[in-house]
C-alpha cells in the first residue's frame, strides 16, 4: 500500500461492515463512540495505529486495548484481518472475518478471540505477529478488528446489524526481495493429434511471482521447431509454492525426435527444464541417425558445399548481432568453478578435485553458439595466501577479472556465505562497469529451502555493498541443471564481435600444460591433506616413438612430479612404486583421450625444496 493511498484512507471513517446474512449496514473507524480498538498505550503515550517491523523467521509482540464507553458490558469477537486499497478510490479497506487470510491476518495470533469488556472499562489482549521465513519483504497492511457479539437493536424487526471497529496494523517485513524460479520434472507424451506436457513450477524465492511459461523445441540435426506459449501457470505463485502444471503442444513433429525446453520467467527470475519427445521412438531414432550421417557427409564436402548450402537456404538471416568475449569464474577454492567450466564447454578442459586450490593458472574453455562465442576463464580460488605461490595465484585472479567482459562469482549452495565470500564480493564491488553474475553452484546437494536461503543471502550481500547483480543463477554442473540457462544469460552481456577463436577449438591451452595438469589431477587423488599443495608437475618432452608403423603410433611423454620435502617422496611413490603406477595408469587414459593417440608415460618424482616459497623454483615450475 503506497503512502498516498494510506493518507487518503486516514480520513475515512467507514472501515468495515461485518453484517449478519441478508442484512446491510455500515462500520466505523477505530472509535465509533461506543467502543474503541487501539494499540495498547506505551511509555510515550497513546498510539493511533500499530506500526510493526520484523524480519522473516522472527516474531514481534504487542497488545490491543478494547474500551467500552457504554453503561453495560459488551462482548466482542476479536480477529486479525488483511487490508487492501479499494479499486474505486484507493481507500483503506479490511477483509471480513470469513474471507481467506493470506498475510498479516494469517501471521497474527491473539491471546483471546472473544473478550467481554465491563461498562466504562477497558481490556487489553496480547497479540503476536509471527513472520514466516518465506514472507515477502515489504509492507503488509492489516487490522485488528472488534466485532460486537450481538447485533444492535433497530426499529425494524428482523434486521440486525453487527458493527465492527478496527485498529490499523502496518507491518513491514524487512530484508531484500529475491525472486527465484525452478522448473522440474518435465515430461511429454503423445496425446491425440498433439502432445501433453507436464512440469513442476516452484517459487524458490521470497516474492510473489506471476510467471509466464513458453515451450521451445529443437529437432534432429539442431533444426529449430516453432516456439509456443504454454497455458496453465497460476496468476500468482506464492513464495515456497510448488504446482504441477499441464500444457498442450498442438503440432509436434510426426516422426522426428525433439528436445523440448520449458522456460518460465517473471521479471528477474527465470528457469528452464528439458525433456525428449518422439511420437514413434524407434522410427524417430532411425531418422535421427540417418540425418546425423547426412549432416556429417554434407559437412565433409568442404567450403564449396557450405557455400551451396547457404545459397539454397531461404530462411531469413538472423538480425541479432553476433557477440564474443571473455567471462571469468571467480570464487573461493573448491567452489565448483572448474566443474562448471567443463560442463559449459561440454568436455574436460580444466582438472577437478575435491581438494581446494586445485586450479593454479587460468584455463580458457570456448563455447561456440550460433549467436555468440563465450570464452570462459577458470581462475584459481581466491584465498588468504600463506606462500609466495598463493600470492601469485591471487594476483592472477585479480589481473583476470580486470580484463574480462563478465565476472561470474561462484558460491556453493551447500555452504553459508563466509568471510572469504564477503571479502571477494567487496573487491568485486569496486569494479564498477563489468557486469557481475552470482552463480550458486552445487544446487544438487541442497533442498529447496536451503537454496532459497542462499539466494536471499547473496542478494542481500550485493545490496549491502552497494551494487546489483546482473543475474543470480542457481546451477548444478553435475546434475546439468540450468547450465545452458547460464550461457543464455552470459551471452547478451558480451560485446558485439565476430568469433575470437576458430570453430571447433575448445581451449587454447598448450597440450604439454594440459598433459601436466591431467597427471597432477591423478596424483591428487588419495593423498594426505597436507600434500596436495606441494605437488607440481612439469612435462619435459613429448616426442613420437621412432620406427613405429604408421597405423600404430606411440607418443613418449616424460614428466617430473615435484614435491617439497624428501619425506613426501614415499607418499607419492607408494609401497614398491604402487602409488606412482596408479597415477600413471589413471592419467594415461585421460591423456590418450585428449591427444587421440597411444601414449607411453614415463614419470619421475623429484624434490624441489620449499618450491612454493622460492621465487627461483616458482619460475622453473612455470609460476
Amino acid at each position: 500500500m503506497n503512502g498516498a493511498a494510506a493518507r487518503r484512507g486516514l480520513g475515512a471513517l467507514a472501515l468495515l461492515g461485518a453484517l449478519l446474512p441478508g442484512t446491510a449496514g455500515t462500520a466505523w473507524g477505530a472509535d465509533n463512540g461506543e467502543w474503541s480498538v487501539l494499540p495498547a498505550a506505551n511509555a510515550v503515550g497513546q498510539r493511533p495505529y500499530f506500526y510493526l517491523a520484523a524480519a522473516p523467521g522472527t516474531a514481534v509482540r504487542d497488545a490491543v486495548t478494547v474500551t467500552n464507553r457504554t453503561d453495560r458490558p459488551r462482548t466482542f469477537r476479536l480477529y486479525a484481518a488483511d487490508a487492501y486499497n479499494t479499486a474505486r478510490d484507493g481507500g483503506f479497506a479490511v477483509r471480513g472475518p470469513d474471507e481467506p487470510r493470506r498475510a498479516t491476518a494469517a501471521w497474527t495470533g491473539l491471546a483471546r478471540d472473544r473478550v467481554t469488556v465491563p461498562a466504562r472499562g477497558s481490556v487489553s489482549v496480547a497479540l503476536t505477529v509471527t513472520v514466516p521465513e518465506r514472507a515477502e519483504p515489504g509492507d503488509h497492511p492489516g487490522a485488528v478488528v472488534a466485532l460486537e457479539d450481538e447485533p444492535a437493536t433497530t426499529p425494524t424487526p428482523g434486521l440486525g446489524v453487527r458493527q465492527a471497529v478496527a485498529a490499523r496494523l502496518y507491518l513491514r517485513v524487512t530484508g531484500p526481495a529475491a525472486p527465484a524460479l525452478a522448473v522440474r520434472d518435465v515430461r511429454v507424451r503423445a496425446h491425440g493429434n498433439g502432445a501433453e506436457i507436464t512440469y513442476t513450477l516452484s517459487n524458490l524465492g521470497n516474492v510473489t511471482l506471476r510467471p509466464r511459461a513458453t515451450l521451445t523445441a529443437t529437432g534432429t540435426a539442431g533444426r529449430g521447431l516453432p516456439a509456443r506459449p504454454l497455458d496453465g501457470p497460476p496468476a500468482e505463485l506464492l513464495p515456497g509454492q510448488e504446482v504441477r502444471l499441464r500444457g498442450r503442444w498442438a503440432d509436434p513433429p510426426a516422426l522426428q525426435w525433439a528436445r523440448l525446453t520449458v522456460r518460465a520467467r517473471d521479471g528477474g527470475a527465470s528457469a528452464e527444464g528439458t525433456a525428449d519427445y518422439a511420437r514413434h521412438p524407434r522410427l524417430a531414432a532411425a531418422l535421427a541417425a540417418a540425418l546425423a550421417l547426412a549432416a556429417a557427409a554434407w559437412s565433409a564436402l568442404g567450403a564449396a558445399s557450405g557455400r551451396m548450402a547457404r545459397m539454397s537456404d531461404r530462411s531469413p538471416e538472423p538480425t541479432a548481432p553476433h557477440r564474443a568475449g571473455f567471462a571469468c569464474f571467480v570464487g573461493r577454492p573448491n567452489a565448483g568453478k572448474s566443474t562448471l567450466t567443463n560442463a559449459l564447454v561440454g568436455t574436460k578442459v580444466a582438472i577437478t578435485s575435491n581438494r581446494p586450490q586445485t586450479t593454479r593458472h587460468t584455463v580458457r574453455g570456448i563455447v561456440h553458439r550460433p549467436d555468440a562465442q563465450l570464452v570462459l576463464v577458470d581462475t584459481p580460488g581466491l584465498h588468504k595466501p600463506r606462500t609466495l605461490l598463493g600470492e601469485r595465484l591471487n594476483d592472477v585472479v585479480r589481473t583476470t577479472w580486470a580484463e574480462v567482459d563478465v565476472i561470474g562469482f561462484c558460491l556453493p549452495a551447500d555452504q553459508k556465505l563466509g568471510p572469504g565470500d564477503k571479502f571477494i564480493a567487496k573487491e568485486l564491488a569496486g569494479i564498477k562497469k563489468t557486469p557481475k553474475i552470482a552463480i550458486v553452484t552445487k544446487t544438487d546437494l541442497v533442498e529447496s529451502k536451503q537454496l532459497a536461503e542462499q539466494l536471499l543471502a547473496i542478494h542481500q550481500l550485493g545490496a549491502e555493498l552497494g551494487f546489483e547483480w546482473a543475474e543470480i543463477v542457481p546451477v548444478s554442473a553435475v546434475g546439468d541443471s540450468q547450465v545452458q540457462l547460464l550461457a543464455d544469460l552470459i551471452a547478451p552481456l558480451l560485446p558485439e564481435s565476430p568469433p575470437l577463436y576458430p570453430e571447433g577449438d575448445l581451449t587454447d591451452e598448450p597440450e604439454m600444460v594440459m598433459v601436466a595438469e591431467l597427471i597432477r589431477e591423478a596424483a591428487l587423488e588419495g593423498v594426505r591433506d597436507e600434500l596436495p599443495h606441494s605437488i607440481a608437475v612439469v612435462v619435459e618432452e613429448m616426442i613420437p616413438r621412432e620406427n613405429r608403423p604408421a597405423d600404430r603410433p606411440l607418443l613418449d611423454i616424460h614428466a617430473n612430479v615435484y614435491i617439497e620435502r624428501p619425506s613426501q617422496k614415499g607418499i607419492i611413490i607408494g609401497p614398491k612404486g604402487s602409488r606412482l603406477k596408479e597415477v600413471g595408469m589413471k592419467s594415461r587414459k585421460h591423456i590418450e583421450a585428449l591427444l587421440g593417440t597411444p601414449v607411453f608415460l614415463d614419470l619421475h618424482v623429484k624434490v624441489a625444496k620449499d618450491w612454493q616459497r622460492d621465487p627461483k623454483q616458482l619460475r622453473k615450475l612455470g609460476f
Side-chain angles (χ1 to χ4, degrees), residues 495-516:
E496 295 181 15
S497 168
L500 303 175
Y501 290 86
E503 181 72 26
D505 284 6
L506 299 180
T507 183
D508 62 357
E509 192 85 344
E511 286 184 347
M512 291 184 71
V513 174
M514 294 189 69
V515 168

Side-chain angles (χ1 to χ4, degrees), residues 220-235:
T220 308
R223 185 173 70 86
L225 302 176
R228 295 287 186 269
L230 282 175
D231 297 329

Side-chain angles (χ1 to χ4, degrees), residues 246-271:
R246 296 179 183 273
R248 182 163 177 77
W249 189 16
D251 52 355
L255 301 177
Q256 191 176 353
W257 169 90
R259 167 63 58 86
L260 306 183
T261 300
V262 175
R263 175 170 289 180
R265 288 183 177 273
D266 177 36
S270 61

Side-chain angles (χ1 to χ4, degrees), residues 360 383 385 387-394 533 611-613 618 623:
R360 287 183 177 161
H383 62 288
T387 64
L388 181 58
L389 172 65
E391 294 175 5
R392 292 189 176 180
L393 295 184
N394 284 352
H533 309 304
W611 66 263
Q612 293 187 77
R613 296 167 176 82
L618 285 173
F623 296 103

Side-chain angles (χ1 to χ4, degrees), residues 288-314:
L291 288 176
L293 289 173
W298 183 260
S299 63
L301 293 177
S305 297
R307 287 194 295 271
M308 292 174 60
R310 289 192 292 274
M311 291 172 62
S312 63
D313 185 3
R314 300 179 180 271

Side-chain angles (χ1 to χ4, degrees), residues 513-537:
V513 174
M514 294 189 69
V515 168
E517 287 291 271
L518 291 173
I519 296 170
R520 186 165 66 90
E521 181 182 45
L524 288 173
E525 296 184 18
V527 296
R528 297 179 185 175
D529 291 339
E530 71 275 9
L531 189 56
H533 309 304
S534 299
I535 297 175
V537 178

